[in-house]
Amino acid sequence: METALTRLVGVRHPIVQTGMGWVAGPRLVSATANAGALGILASATMSVDRLREAVREVRSRTDAPFGVNLRADAADAGDRVRVIVEEGVRVASFALAPSPGLIAELKEAGVVVISTVGARRHAEKVAAWGADAVIVQGGEGGGHTGEVATTVLLPQVVDAVRIPVVAAGGFFDGRGLVAALAYGAAGVAMGTRFLLTSDSTVPDAVKARYLAATVRDVTVTTAVDGLPHRMLRTDLVESLENATRARALVQAVRRAAAFRKLSGLTWRRMLQDGRALKHGKDLTWSQVLLAANTPMLLRASMVDGRTDLGVMASGQVAGVIEDLPSCAELVERILAEAGEAVAALTATTATTTTTTS
């Protein structure tokens, strides 16, 4: 299935596996790439040296194109961009809008720049700055999310920009892919669906919690870091929502120290990232510090398997996913379902035309 996305990044199928922290590691990314989709390596939870190692590990497992996701506002973003360029990574993906200078540096090196957006004006901005494509995430998506549903946000962005648009938030099967293409998108991006594959390194006990969830078990909370965050509702989430500010702050300091040691960041760098996070958002410094909770709370679940101590970012689609296929099986299934959906639409159109004539 060829689209503007497949032509842009060189993959066979218009499907993207998003860069989920602690989840989108070398094994998942390479499995996705070998299945013909675009796998994106999550770098925000890695040190710069570990990022280079991870890129080389992916390269050892696949010859197919893949990408790296990074925070544009991170103090060491320039170092990470150099790794991407030096290691010949095909795609640089950003959760926040990269600066015009960063986009220019990457494009000059032949790297495709894709920025994730949650509003039409953000898409227009990064397109004007030179981004090659945008991923549009509606409110159904997991992790940090907005309030506008994909079915409303997607056509707005498609009409506003002249670069490939990838739809995210609420996609998990071939019918969704066909619907996104009908809206004018060039493909779909999925996080939770790829998390729930046999190639994902997320512990089995955590995957079981996702599979057992209903749509009503997925909630949006600001208790973790002060920003709207979609995740599975658990006893821990409820305790965070009910915790006093002082208690939450003490816990945040401890987890910030643990993340600093794990990531290799200095306190100075973490404070610089905190300032960048605070900029343009209605957050207090206490909330910025609470944001240091997020990497360690996610790691507790996604790496250590402690669903009692960690949070589980999740799209609403967790409530309708029931199995753990391999990435190859998943991509093959989505394409088959898409073909069936198109055939059904064609048959319906033909029947309607015959009847009316």
Side-chain angles (χ1 to χ4, degrees), residues 177-202:
L177 173 58
V178 172
L181 296 177
Y183 271 114
V188 295
M190 303 182 296
T192 306
R193 178 64 274 195
F194 276 103
L195 184 157
L196 293 174
T197 61
S198 60
D199 293 305
S200 163
T201 59
V202 172

Side-chain angles (χ1 to χ4, degrees), residues 74-99:
D76 61 356
D79 297 332
R80 295 171 186 272
V81 165
R82 278 189 287 276
V83 170
I84 290 173
V85 172
E86 292 169 1
E87 297 297 328
V89 176
R90 176 62 177 162
V91 174
S93 164
F94 293 90
L96 297 173
S99 66

Side-chain angles (χ1 to χ4, degrees), residues 265-311:
L265 295 175
T266 64
W267 281 111
R268 181 179 178 182
R269 280 267 171 115
M270 290 185 70
L271 286 172
Q272 289 174 333
D273 288 351
R275 291 191 187 96
L277 176 65
K278 188 175 187 296
H279 180 68
K281 302 179 179 69
D282 186 22
L283 298 179
T284 66
W285 273 109
S286 294
Q287 288 173 319
V288 170
L289 183 54
L290 286 172
N293 271 335
T294 308
M296 297 310 293
L297 287 173
L298 288 168
R299 186 183 191 278
S301 290
M302 301 304 152
V303 178
D304 302 331
R306 295 297 303 269
T307 57
D308 57 328
L309 298 178
V311 298

